[in-house]
Amino acid sequence: MRLFLLLVAFPALVSSFVGMLPSRHKQSQGRQSQLRMMAKLPKVAVMVNGLPGAMGKEVAAACLRRGLEVCSVGLTGPQVDEECVDVDDGEGGKPQTIRLVKGPVTGAGDEECDARLQGLVAGYRESGTRLIAVDYTHPTAVNPNGMLYARHKMDFVMGTTGGDRDKLLKDVEEAGIYAVIAPNMAKQIVALQAGLETMAGTFPGAFEGYNLRVVESHQSSKADTSGTAKALIASFGTLVGKPYKVEDVIAMIRDREGQLEFGVPEAGLGGHAFHTYQLLSPDGSVEFQFRHNVVGRRIYAEGTVDALTYLAQQHGPDKKVFNMVDVLKAGAMK
Amino acid sequence: MRLFLLLVAFPALVSSFVGMLPSRHKQSQGRQSQLRMMAKLPKVAVMVNGLPGAMGKEVAAACLRRGLEVCSVGLTGPQVDEECVDVDDGEGGKPQTIRLVKGPVTGAGDEECDARLQGLVAGYRESGTRLIAVDYTHPTAVNPNGMLYARHKMDFVMGTTGGDRDKLLKDVEEAGIYAVIAPNMAKQIVALQAGLETMAGTFPGAFEGYNLRVVESHQSSKADTSGTAKALIASFGTLVGKPYKVEDVIAMIRDREGQLEFGVPEAGLGGHAFHTYQLLSPDGSVEFQFRHNVVGRRIYAEGTVDALTYLAQQHGPDKKVFNMVDVLKAGAMK
């Protein structure tokens, strides 16, 4: 009953914000400012690995929108039949064909793939262009690919989750290459998560006596609980002054009807991440709410390209492996 | 049209959370923890100044709920006719009568009031009780009362806004007394405000390209824009990377019908503070929302008593004047 009441509340809310969509004018202001930032960039080419996967396509589109060169070769998985895939900027721009090369299945590498990469890297180096890989492949490919990048001294942005993360880090550090490694590339969500963590650390117990309720919705294929939700629930626990068990405070929506009622647009049913956190005072007179609602994959692709442009500007001898908080903090130095 | 669409969305939302009201069990857990904290307190009596005003009554009730002694005398304004007022804990507890004494109208003081206070302070000092004033009076009384507390070396919590704040601070510092001076005693809202300010300072531009919309509702008698809204809009401006003019992004609701549609409960029309902040990505695929909705005055009274119990534990020779961020940070030291 409680959940039902909550659900009926949302559709009108989301439709209400449709009227608030920004004008094209404001969008282009944002892009111009991004282009200004790009002017300071060294020449960069991006190797998109994980095509023809949906995230690979989104990343290629985001690169093209920002005027970055997309390398005409990309790594793919062993089960992929296509030899080529077309990518475009998602806004009506001219498509570009990417030739797909099978990536290594084990850390020992793959003769053909290694030879191909060696040639590519040498070619780009000669032309004064920095080749950076973006990896949205498969958890099983995280370590073989990490070792491949290490062998060829290729800097990379790793958006693929899973694999042996300690080994990945060790391989990268031993090779002395630059990388951004982050399980969540949606930088605004990472900012919120880090912001609430800092707030909780600074003001623990400020919400003593308050009660937390969380509702989240993801596409029905996602079985586990959102990692972001878990992190935020930990921060809210510190603010309330008592640690929560995630399952005690969360309601997860995975059915079509519930999702539509929660305000997920029809087009987003196949890929979305909606979160609402509520802190209610003991007497019910005060309510705080935090929401982050994402439809589709664009926020992750944009964050990935932010990570990539950040990485392209790193040349220091000390710190070479970064995460999204590093990328976010760089905003303070612009 | 946009505003209308937003408005129709809220009533169902608020009613949905009514089902989430916490149990009495959880409330009493919070109180027990507060009482444990109280065990460490020195003996304290609270002089509630500003009765029979609504905030004075709320503060007296919050003090009684927490087992603090409320002084049987309180200062009031020159236009008040009542000689006495009854206060209680707001939860069915026994009422207590407070005798009202006219406070000073000018900084020169008032013979009768000063004599009365001198006797009170001496009496409490003899009995080993720390007498602390809480001030919710009138902007015109801020400085005369500040000077009165200074003359009698009375520590105080100043919740009254207005007056000459620099002079207030100077008088308190010269007298060497302890005080918490804060324009907003709702400590959870102060925590959110400080948290977002820190987040903005750490990650400026993280929401580049996003668009901000703010809707706030207060009782129709409030003419000006919410100070909290102004502060949060400044932080969001830093996050977006462009300063906002408050009037460009805010919609203010001051009419009964609009307030009910926004989700303000009927009983809260005469006193509430509802705020919704929305950050929307350029393509509309990502939405962040922050809300803080307050009905009535209890959150301010509870925060005031938190400030008071914090103040009662301060004895250091150095810092003697505090604000709500100091009070909040003390949570980390519990």
Side-chain angles (χ1 to χ4, degrees):
Chain A
M1 179 60 178
R2 286 178 183 183
L3 184 58
F4 173 74
L5 279 170
L6 183 63
L7 294 179
V8 298
F10 282 78
L13 189 64
V14 167
S15 68
S16 75
F17 284 124
V18 171
M20 287 188 166
L21 277 171
S23 68
R24 292 293 289 184
H25 173 65
K26 282 183 183 165
Q27 281 191 47
S28 76
Q29 279 184 329
R31 196 158 317 139
Q32 277 164 17
S33 144
Q34 284 165 349
L35 288 173
R36 275 197 301 279
M37 197 185 79
M38 298 289 302
K40 290 182 284 178
L41 274 187
K43 227 180 141 194
V44 171
V46 185
M47 183 183 209
V48 181
N49 297 338
L51 288 167
M55 263 313 294
K57 284 184 178 169
E58 281 283 350
V59 167
C63 288
L64 293 172
R65 282 196 299 272
R66 298 221 206 156
L68 289 170
E69 179 185 340
V70 174
C71 174
S72 61
V73 178
L75 300 181
T76 193
Q79 298 93 339
V80 174
D81 290 330
E82 294 99 313
E83 289 188 355
C84 288
V85 63
D86 282 357
V87 297
D88 60 53
D89 68 3
E91 293 186 344
K94 202 176 148 224
Q96 176 184 335
T97 301
I98 311 287
R99 181 164 297 277
L100 299 178
V101 172
K102 304 274 191 223
V105 174
T106 69
D110 172 280
E111 210 171 308
E112 195 193 320
C113 171
D114 274 273
R116 191 74 175 251
L117 228 63
Q118 196 161 20
L120 260 181
V121 170
Y124 276 108
R125 198 163 287 149
E126 246 171 57
S127 75
T129 301
R130 190 164 176 181
L131 180 65
I132 301 181
V134 169
D135 198 293
Y136 276 101
T137 54
H138 189 267
T140 57
V142 163
N143 295 111
N145 285 6
M147 292 165 81
L148 180 82
Y149 304 141
R151 278 201 298 282
H152 295 279
K153 305 283 180 202
M154 275 183 71
D155 303 332
F156 69 91
V157 176
M158 178 63 76
T160 318
T161 54
D164 181 339
R165 309 300 282 189
D166 290 337
K167 175 164 171 45
L168 175 66
L169 210 63
K170 190 167 158 278
D171 290 342
V172 171
E173 279 169 356
E174 282 178 5
I177 55 177
Y178 291 81
V180 175
I181 301 176
N184 184 352
M185 293 284 176
K187 72 173 184 173
Q188 293 81 9
I189 292 173
V190 174
L192 178 66
Q193 187 177 323
L196 281 172
E197 196 179 316
T198 301
M199 182 177 154
T202 316
F203 307 129
F207 288 76
E208 190 180 342
Y210 277 61
N211 285 282
L212 177 68
R213 289 291 176 275
V214 182
V215 183
E216 61 98 326
S217 172
H218 288 79
Q219 55 278 6
S220 56
S221 58
K222 185 177 169 70
D224 57 336
T225 311
S226 145
T228 309
K230 285 183 191 167
L232 260 64
I233 288 168
S235 291
F236 287 125
T238 306
L239 283 167
V240 169
K242 60 177 181 190
Y244 287 109
K245 278 189 192 168
V246 173
E247 61 269 28
D248 288 349
V249 292
I250 206 166
M252 290 161 65
I253 307 175
R254 293 290 181 275
D255 65 299
R256 179 191 160 86
E257 198 188 334
Q259 288 168 341
L260 291 172
E261 281 177 353
F262 193 46
V264 180
E266 181 99 31
L269 290 176
H272 68 274
F274 274 41
H275 298 76
T276 296
Y277 310 82
Q278 182 213 40
L279 281 166
L280 195 69
S281 70
D283 70 343
S285 69
V286 184
E287 186 207 348
F288 286 78
Q289 252 197 55
F290 302 81
R291 297 184 184 194
H292 50 98
N293 293 345
V294 173
V295 172
R297 301 177 178 85
R298 189 154 169 165
I299 186 176
Y300 308 102
E302 293 289 345
T304 302
V305 181
D306 288 328
L308 196 138
T309 54
Y310 170 80
L311 194 65
Q313 295 168 81
Q314 304 309 312
H315 301 279
D318 300 331
K319 190 169 159 70
K320 296 190 171 186
V321 182
F322 307 91
N323 58 31
M324 282 309 280
V325 170
D326 296 312
V327 175
L328 279 161
K329 281 186 178 161
M333 290 175 275
K334 265 189 215 170
Chain B
M1 179 60 177
R2 286 181 182 180
L3 183 59
F4 173 74
L5 280 169
L6 183 63
L7 294 181
V8 298
F10 282 78
L13 189 64
V14 167
S15 68
S16 75
F17 284 124
V18 171
M20 287 186 164
L21 278 171
S23 67
R24 292 294 289 184
H25 174 64
K26 281 183 184 165
Q27 282 192 45
S28 76
Q29 278 183 332
R31 197 158 315 141
Q32 277 164 17
S33 143
Q34 284 167 350
L35 288 172
R36 275 198 300 278
M37 197 186 80
M38 298 290 302
K40 290 183 285 180
L41 275 186
K43 228 180 141 193
V44 170
V46 185
M47 185 185 208
V48 181
N49 296 338
L51 287 167
M55 263 313 293
K57 283 183 178 170
E58 281 284 350
V59 167
C63 287
L64 292 172
R65 283 197 297 273
R66 298 220 205 156
L68 289 170
E69 180 185 340
V70 174
C71 174
S72 61
V73 177
L75 301 180
T76 194
Q79 297 93 339
V80 173
D81 289 332
E82 293 99 315
E83 290 188 351
C84 289
V85 63
D86 281 356
V87 297
D88 59 53
D89 67 4
E91 293 185 345
K94 204 178 146 224
Q96 177 185 333
T97 301
I98 311 288
R99 180 164 298 275
L100 300 177
V101 172
K102 304 272 189 223
V105 173
T106 69
D110 173 280
E111 209 171 310
E112 196 193 321
C113 172
D114 273 275
R116 191 76 175 248
L117 228 61
Q118 194 160 22
L120 260 182
V121 169
Y124 276 107
R125 198 162 288 149
E126 245 171 57
S127 75
T129 300
R130 190 163 176 181
L131 180 65
I132 301 181
V134 169
D135 198 293
Y136 277 100
T137 53
H138 189 269
T140 56
V142 164
N143 295 111
N145 285 4
M147 292 165 81
L148 179 82
Y149 304 140
R151 277 198 300 282
H152 295 280
K153 304 283 181 201
M154 275 182 72
D155 303 331
F156 68 89
V157 176
M158 178 63 76
T160 317
T161 54
D164 181 339
R165 309 301 280 190
D166 291 336
K167 173 164 172 45
L168 175 66
L169 210 63
K170 188 166 160 279
D171 290 343
V172 170
E173 280 168 356
E174 282 177 6
I177 56 177
Y178 291 81
V180 176
I181 300 176
N184 184 353
M185 293 282 176
K187 71 173 184 174
Q188 293 82 9
I189 292 174
V190 174
L192 177 67
Q193 187 178 322
L196 282 172
E197 195 180 318
T198 302
M199 182 178 154
T202 316
F203 307 130
F207 288 77
E208 189 180 344
Y210 277 60
N211 285 281
L212 177 68
R213 289 289 176 277
V214 182
V215 184
E216 60 99 325
S217 172
H218 288 78
Q219 55 278 4
S220 55
S221 58
K222 183 177 170 71
D224 57 336
T225 311
S226 146
T228 309
K230 284 184 191 167
L232 260 65
I233 287 169
S235 291
F236 286 125
T238 306
L239 283 167
V240 168
K242 60 177 181 190
Y244 287 109
K245 277 189 192 169
V246 173
E247 61 269 27
D248 288 349
V249 292
I250 206 166
M252 291 160 65
I253 307 175
R254 294 290 182 274
D255 65 299
R256 178 191 161 85
E257 198 187 335
Q259 288 168 343
L260 291 172
E261 281 177 353
F262 193 46
V264 180
E266 181 100 32
L269 290 176
H272 68 274
F274 273 41
H275 297 76
T276 296
Y277 310 82
Q278 183 213 40
L279 280 166
L280 196 70
S281 70
D283 71 342
S285 69
V286 184
E287 186 207 347
F288 287 79
Q289 253 197 53
F290 303 81
R291 298 184 183 195
H292 50 98
N293 294 345
V294 173
V295 173
R297 300 176 179 85
R298 189 154 168 165
I299 187 177
Y300 308 101
E302 292 290 344
T304 301
V305 180
D306 289 328
L308 196 137
T309 54
Y310 169 79
L311 194 66
Q313 294 168 83
Q314 304 309 313
H315 301 279
D318 300 331
K319 190 169 159 67
K320 295 189 171 186
V321 182
F322 308 91
N323 59 31
M324 282 309 279
V325 170
D326 296 312
V327 175
L328 279 161
K329 281 187 178 161
M333 291 174 274
K334 264 190 214 168

